Amino acid sequence: MITVSSSPYPGQRPGTSGLRQRVSVFQQPHYLENFVQAIFNAVPSLAGATLVVGGDGRYHNRAAIARIAELAAGNGVARLLVGRGGLLSTPAASALIRQRGAAGGLILSASHNPGGPHGDFGIKFNGANGAPASEQTSAAIYAASTAISHYQLAEGEGFDLDQIGSSELAGMQIEVIDGVADYADLMARQFDFAAIGELLRSATFEFYFDAMHAITGPYAEEIFCRRLGASRSCLLNATPREDFGGGHPDPNLAHAGELLAAVNGAGEWALGAASDGDGDRNMVVGSGLFINPCDSLAIIAANAPLLAGLGGGLRGVARSMPTSRAVDRVAAAQGIRCYETPTGWKFFATLLDGGHINLCGEESFGTGADHLREKDGLWAVLCWLNIIAARQLSPQAIVEHHWATYGRDFFTRHDYEGLDSDAAAALLKRLEGSLAELAGSRLAGLAVESAEQFSYTDPVDGARSSGQGIRLCFADGSRAVVRLSGTGTSGATLRLYFDRHESDPARHCDDPQRALAAVIAASAEWLQLERSVGRSQPDVVT
Ligand code: VG1
Ligand code: CO
């Protein structure tokens, strides 16, 4: 056993359940060690217990796992469960923690952030329920990281990350397992694999899945090709690469060009899907049809009785605050409750644990359910395949039928990336200061009904979270939400969200930007972005 002295460091952003930084920052001496030791200090239940570790395969994954094994043994972990090749998708890790009774897991990923030696790396800590660390645990880890004086290592011979089997390191058992099989078994229990298999093998249906050279490739191959009989040619970019092939593993219209080209070239009976770096998010598209994640959540909710994993119906649903209110309408029709939470999956986890909901989602392409405690990209794609197979309707017809029943919630998100952090913080401060005088005023002709900072009290554990995004509600029913991203690693990212419900199908239009033009103009007048952060156009429009 070796004890290395070390000094406090301000690595983790307070209030976040993990650490996300440039690879070069992680490669500094003691940096990763400090954070992982802070986790062991803050979560004493890990000693003597099982710990899961795996990542999305990005650069530095293997080196980090080798070091984490030494730290785990040095801190008395009894058993380390590692995905073969060091690979585990975020949802698969969450499931594994739950299935194997682990006390927690370390997921090595910076999700959608680019990888490679010049890209980003990250470590997330999930607790015994498989969910991202709660606000309280995150705060305890942060506090431990500012008070750290040393870390403990057990040095031993390295173990073979690519070979399934058991080995030992200073009394700790290391088990390298097949991370894909358990997850595929879990999916087989959630869906009607016979019906989906028939759909995927039929000549009239075309399916494409883009793994974006990130973690979901091996999972997609096992599930779609080996178990469901789809042709191997339905998979795009299915080999995990340390730099994601130089791409940006973010499933959105800006970054999934290859997928969009394939699906748009197919007929109405086609579905395309993509996942992000660590496999927790999803995008689904039809031919010439973008299904926004808020609508996707609502459509899954409306079709829940068709999905075995949702137990024949819904207990309750939840969405993050900036997500459109499309799912609220489905909940109202079914007489169940819809919870509105701050952005981030940990807020859904307590509602799932408490049995209040069994379906939830975010506008940022995250959808999930009660089967584990993370958002789950492949699960959402399987929902769509199952719904199409059960209803024998094309994606287009399913979406149109939904809008005809519930009306349509137009939604868009505008991201301004790489802003000067001080300028962005000053902007948010100025906006907050102007909230009181906004209510009752008009912006670009639109009457403001209310303007507030969103706060949330967890109905299960009573924890209070404030400052979760500024929300303006207008008299015509539209909303604008402003918040700063918590996941970027360079400068600040400002996210603006807009939504508006349209009940008259005759007034539907194909372009959400046009449908939301009035509320976009109103918030532009308020934000004055050109003046405050020197930008007039967003970098990414979803
Ligand atoms: C973004 C999304 C948020 C999501 C988070 C983690 O956060 O907006 O909805 O939960 O990423 O997703 P932010 O703070 O940048 O807006 V991921 O795929 O990192 O696991
Ligand atoms: Co992710």
Side-chain angles (χ1 to χ4, degrees):
M1 196 75 63
I2 309 172
T3 301
V4 183
S5 1
S6 119
S7 40
Y9 79 113
Q12 180 195 8
R13 206 179 293 203
T16 55
S17 56
L19 184 60
R20 218 179 261 205
Q21 287 290 351
R22 291 265 183 255
V23 165
S24 55
V25 174
F26 267 97
Q27 286 170 330
Q28 298 171 95
H30 314 309
Y31 189 86
L32 172 141
E33 290 85 347
N34 267 338
F35 182 65
V36 174
Q37 183 65 49
I39 294 172
F40 287 120
N41 292 353
V43 189
S45 58
L46 292 172
T50 298
L51 178 70
V52 168
V53 63
D56 63 12
R58 67 178 62 224
Y59 184 81
H60 202 53
N61 195 41
R62 287 172 168 264
I65 290 178
R67 200 61 167 162
I68 286 168
E70 295 174 348
L71 285 155
N75 281 278
V77 166
R79 187 167 65 134
L80 193 68
L81 284 179
V82 194
R84 177 171 38 186
L87 300 179
L88 281 179
S89 76
T90 289
S94 175
L96 208 55
I97 292 170
R98 297 166 68 79
Q99 285 161 356
R100 307 284 180 107
L106 295 174
I107 302 172
L108 312 184
S109 171
S111 191
H112 49 279
N113 298 25
H118 306 292
D120 290 340
F121 190 73
I123 304 184
K124 306 188 271 188
F125 176 68
N126 286 34
N129 63 350
S134 65
E135 298 253 277
Q136 297 90 309
T137 305
S138 302
I141 294 169
Y142 179 73
S145 78
T146 63
I148 200 156
S149 61
H150 63 276
Y151 57 87
Q152 278 156 273
L153 283 176
E155 273 184 326
E157 291 197 1
F159 60 100
D160 187 349
L161 207 48
D162 298 305
Q163 202 61 46
I164 288 181
S166 278
S167 57
E168 211 198 279
L169 173 64
M172 177 181 77
Q173 190 198 347
I174 300 178
E175 243 185 89
V176 176
I177 54 156
D178 176 351
V180 174
D182 281 18
Y183 178 82
D185 290 346
L186 176 63
M187 290 302 112
R189 293 194 294 276
Q190 305 297 312
F191 298 103
D192 184 348
F193 266 31
I196 297 174
E198 210 173 299
L199 175 75
L200 287 175
R201 292 187 303 270
S202 77
T204 43
F205 185 69
E206 275 186 65
F207 173 64
Y208 295 96
F209 179 81
D210 189 346
M212 306 187 94
H213 284 307
I215 190 66
T216 45
Y219 292 84
E221 193 169 349
E222 172 68 22
I223 294 170
F224 298 131
C225 303
R226 273 199 283 280
R227 300 208 185 188
L228 292 166
S231 145
R232 182 74 183 62
S233 62
C234 77
L235 302 183
L236 310 175
N237 306 314
T239 309
R241 298 236 176 99
E242 289 199 328
D243 65 348
F244 306 126
H248 201 120
D250 205 353
N252 61 33
L253 293 176
H255 295 116
E258 200 180 331
L259 175 77
L260 296 176
V263 177
N264 289 340
E268 190 189 326
W269 276 89
L271 185 78
S275 214
D276 72 330
D278 59 330
D280 56 357
R281 298 197 283 151
N282 74 93
M283 176 175 75
V284 280
V285 293
S287 178
L289 170 77
F290 169 63
I291 304 171
N292 90 52
C294 316
D295 281 343
S296 175
L297 174 65
I299 290 169
I300 293 171
N303 289 281
L306 302 174
L307 303 170
L310 291 174
L314 296 176
R315 269 202 294 277
V317 293
R319 63 163 171 82
S320 67
M321 185 273 279
T323 303
S324 92
R325 293 156 289 176
V327 72
D328 302 35
R329 304 178 206 291
V330 178
Q334 296 189 8
I336 55 165
R337 200 158 158 201
C338 178
Y339 295 83
E340 185 177 50
T341 62
T343 294
W345 210 257
K346 59 188 172 226
F347 299 101
F348 294 142
T350 56
L351 295 171
L352 290 163
D353 282 346
H356 298 283
I357 60 167
N358 56 343
L359 175 70
C360 43
E362 299 187 289
E363 49 60 45
S364 55
F365 301 87
T367 328
D370 198 27
H371 62 294
L372 46 83
R373 291 293 177 272
E374 284 277 4
K375 42 198 186 275
D376 191 345
L378 285 169
W379 175 87
V381 177
L382 285 162
C383 282
W384 271 90
L385 290 171
N386 198 338
I387 292 167
I388 294 167
R391 294 185 59 180
Q392 292 293 312
L393 289 172
S394 70
Q396 178 88 38
I398 289 171
V399 170
E400 276 170 7
H401 178 256
H402 188 87
W403 289 340
T405 310
Y406 297 96
R408 179 169 175 185
D409 286 88
F410 290 101
F411 175 86
T412 188
R413 183 174 105 181
H414 293 186
D415 293 332
Y416 293 78
E417 298 173 344
L419 304 180
D420 177 77
S421 302
D422 294 337
L427 166 68
L428 265 280
K429 198 147 180 257
R430 172 172 69 77
L431 296 179
E432 257 179 76
S434 72
L435 292 180
E437 68 216 36
L438 263 187
S441 73
R442 292 182 96 81
L443 289 171
L446 219 52
V448 182
E449 222 167 54
S450 64
E452 57 172 358
Q453 255 293 5
F454 180 62
S455 306
Y456 177 71
T457 304
D458 192 300
V460 180
D461 62 18
R464 179 125 183 108
S465 309
S466 45
Q468 297 293 323
I470 295 175
R471 171 168 64 183
L472 302 193
C473 295
F474 295 89
D476 70 344
S478 54
R479 288 193 320 171
V481 173
V482 182
R483 60 179 282 279
L484 287 178
S485 157
T487 59
T489 54
S490 62
T493 295
L494 181 74
R495 303 203 198 282
L496 310 182
Y497 313 75
F498 306 99
D499 73 313
R500 179 175 72 83
H501 182 246
E502 175 62 72
S503 55
D504 180 359
R507 287 176 40 200
H508 284 182
C509 89
D510 283 336
D511 181 6
Q513 305 308 317
R514 202 146 51 81
L516 294 162
V519 63
I520 293 171
S523 68
E525 181 175 308
W526 177 50
L527 293 165
Q528 297 290 326
L529 290 183
E530 179 78 70
R531 212 184 59 205
S532 51
V533 291
R535 292 287 179 87
S536 56
Q537 292 303 318
D539 299 287
V540 181
V541 171
T542 310

